[in-house]
Amino acid sequence: MRELVRRVARIREVLDHHPDGPVLGYFPPGRVVSESDLPPGLAEVLAVTDGPWVGDIGVFSYDRQGPNRYLEQAVAIPDGEAGRWMCFGERYQEPLLVHRDTGEVWWFPENGVVWPDNPEFRKLTDTVEEFVVHYMLGPGYLDICVAPDDDEWARLLGELGWADLSVLKG
């Protein structure tokens, strides 16, 4: 949790002084919430920042967390298991899911198929905290954003030394 707190504090400082800060990213204050209705680890992240967004990737604020009946449409989730998942955020209007028992973060990778029909369903991280640190505030962002070589958030991560933009050249 220490790395998440450190990076969120630093990015808030950077965004506050950046002319395009509010457009680039949003890391609102945290909110202490009950862990009883949330998957493991999600409450801890919301206590640091309640609803962070970067580009088209984000974690919903506590007020937007809740039941996800539409997950039953996903062909990659076995029948009867949609209730084990919670949509805690989005990546380009596609759900980011956290397992209610384990706290693992999963997604439907980009493959040209809309997410409900996408047969691919893969684990991204073991925790929501790891997702925020690695995929929103770290090098993993380059792996899940659509056009990292033309992405202002990716450039900012590179300037901070949190992502290596040289991997994009080639």
Side-chain angles (χ1 to χ4, degrees), residues 23-26 53-58 90 92 136 141 145 151 153:
V23 175
L24 291 176
Y26 178 62
W53 286 90
V54 296
D56 288 326
I57 301 170
E90 290 180 342
Y92 298 98
M136 293 178 74
Y141 181 80
C145 75
D151 187 288
W153 187 255

Side-chain angles (χ1 to χ4, degrees), residues 43-92:
E44 289 89 347
V45 169
L46 296 176
V48 175
T49 180
D50 185 26
W53 286 90
V54 296
D56 288 326
I57 301 170
V59 173
F60 297 141
S61 66
Y62 178 73
D63 292 336
R64 290 191 60 206
Q65 302 289 343
N68 308 113
R69 290 177 198 85
Y70 65 90
L71 290 180
E72 294 170 4
Q73 304 168 26
V75 298
I77 298 176
D79 288 342
E81 291 193 20
R84 292 183 178 201
W85 299 95
M86 179 176 171
C87 179
F88 76 99
E90 290 180 342
R91 177 199 162 268
Y92 298 98

Side-chain angles (χ1 to χ4, degrees), residues 8-162:
V8 168
R10 177 70 177 120
I11 202 65
R12 284 178 179 150
E13 179 183 307
V14 168
L15 293 174
D16 282 348
H17 294 93
H18 195 288
D20 295 325
V23 175
L24 291 176
Y26 178 62
F27 287 82
R31 176 179 178 175
V32 177
V33 297
S34 168
E35 296 180 26
S36 63
D37 60 338
L38 297 175
L42 184 54
E44 289 89 347
V45 169
L46 296 176
V48 175
T49 180
D50 185 26
W53 286 90
V54 296
D56 288 326
I57 301 170
V59 173
F60 297 141
S61 66
Y62 178 73
D63 292 336
R64 290 191 60 206
Q65 302 289 343
N68 308 113
R69 290 177 198 85
Y70 65 90
L71 290 180
E72 294 170 4
Q73 304 168 26
V75 298
I77 298 176
D79 288 342
E81 291 193 20
R84 292 183 178 201
W85 299 95
M86 179 176 171
C87 179
F88 76 99
E90 290 180 342
R91 177 199 162 268
Y92 298 98
Q93 299 181 351
E94 294 189 353
L96 292 167
L97 305 180
V98 59
H99 194 279
R100 289 185 178 277
D101 297 328
T102 67
E104 294 174 343
V105 173
W106 289 58
W107 75 318
F108 298 93
E110 183 87 20
N111 63 4
V113 179
V114 293
W115 75 265
D117 299 327
N118 190 342
E120 293 185 59
F121 186 49
R122 291 192 207 145
K123 179 177 158 183
L124 272 174
T125 62
D126 289 329
T127 67
V128 177
E129 175 188 358
E130 185 183 350
F131 171 79
V132 174
V133 169
H134 187 74
Y135 287 100
M136 293 178 74
L137 293 169
Y141 181 80
L142 303 178
D143 297 330
I144 67 170
C145 75
V146 172
D149 53 344
D150 190 34
D151 187 288
E152 292 295 323
W153 187 255
R155 276 195 274 285
L156 182 60
L157 292 175
E159 291 170 14
L160 291 169
W162 294 351

